[in-house]
Structure formats: structure tokens, C-alpha cells
């Protein structure tokens, strides 16, 4: 989706949305400015995304395949069910 807005403001708003909803932990929005520059959490001095299972840094768990697919699916179901009660 393209929007006519400041990329940093958009990234900040999307991170807020990710953090305010239980199911938001499943979202991962990438934001690019008009020149194609990507904005990350670290550029906004925010901590990295956390693993759904163990709360370690998500990209480390993903790279190491630290958790089984069944564990991940179970946690997704837990988060989706929690969002139905918000």
C-alpha cells in the first residue's frame, strides 16, 4: 500500500498497532520512503521483535529454527483467540 505520509510516522503508527493488539504480534509491516529506504525498529531506538514462543529476539529463533511448527501454530492460535476477547 502506498500512502502520502512521513515514513517514520507511518512506521511508528504501525509498530503501535502491532503492540496494542494481541494478534498484532503476528503482523510485520515494512515501511519504505519514496526513495526506497526501509525503516526499522532499531532506527527508531526500539527493541527488536520478540519471539512468539520464548521472548528472545525473533530473528535469532527464526534463524536457528528454535521452535517447532506445531509450537508456533499453537501460539498463533492462542493470540488469535485472545484477540477475539478484546
Amino acid at each position: 500500500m502506498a500512502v502520502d505520509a512521513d515514513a517514520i510516522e507511518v512506521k511508528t503508527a504501525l509498530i503501535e498497532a502491532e503492540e496494542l493488539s494481541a494478534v498484532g504480534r503476528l503482523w510485520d509491516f515494512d515501511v519504505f520512503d519514496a526513495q526506497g529506504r526501509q525503516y526499522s525498529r532499531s532506527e527508531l531506538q526500539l527493541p527488536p521483535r520478540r519471539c512468539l514462543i520464548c521472548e528472545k529476539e525473533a530473528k535469532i529463533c527464526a534463524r536457528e529454527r528454535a521452535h517447532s511448527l506445531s509450537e508456533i501454530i499453537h501460539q498463533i492460535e492462542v493470540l488469535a483467540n485472545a484477540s477475539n476477547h478484546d
Side-chain angles (χ1 to χ4, degrees):
M1 173 186 297
V3 296
D4 185 15
D6 179 74
I8 293 174
E9 290 177 13
V10 171
K11 181 66 175 181
T12 301
L14 292 172
I15 290 170
E16 261 184 54
E18 290 172 1
E19 294 177 351
L20 290 177
S21 168
V23 75
R25 298 238 7 235
L26 303 176
W27 301 332
D28 183 15
F29 297 109
D30 293 327
V31 174
F32 298 85
D33 65 16
Q35 290 71 43
R37 179 175 179 230
Q38 184 174 6
Y39 289 84
S40 67
R41 290 171 159 267
S42 62
E43 289 178 282
L44 300 175
Q45 286 74 49
L46 295 171
R49 293 175 63 86
R50 297 280 148 211
C51 174
L52 295 174
I53 309 298
C54 70
E55 294 297 318
K56 290 182 184 174
E57 194 172 335
K59 65 182 173 184
I60 292 172
C61 287
R63 181 176 57 234
E64 295 175 354
R65 296 181 186 224
H67 309 290
S68 69
L69 182 57
S70 62
E71 285 179 294
I72 295 166
I73 291 171
H74 173 75
Q75 188 59 27
I76 289 170
E77 290 171 346
V78 168
L79 291 171
N81 288 330
S83 72
N84 291 331
H85 295 84
D86 285 347

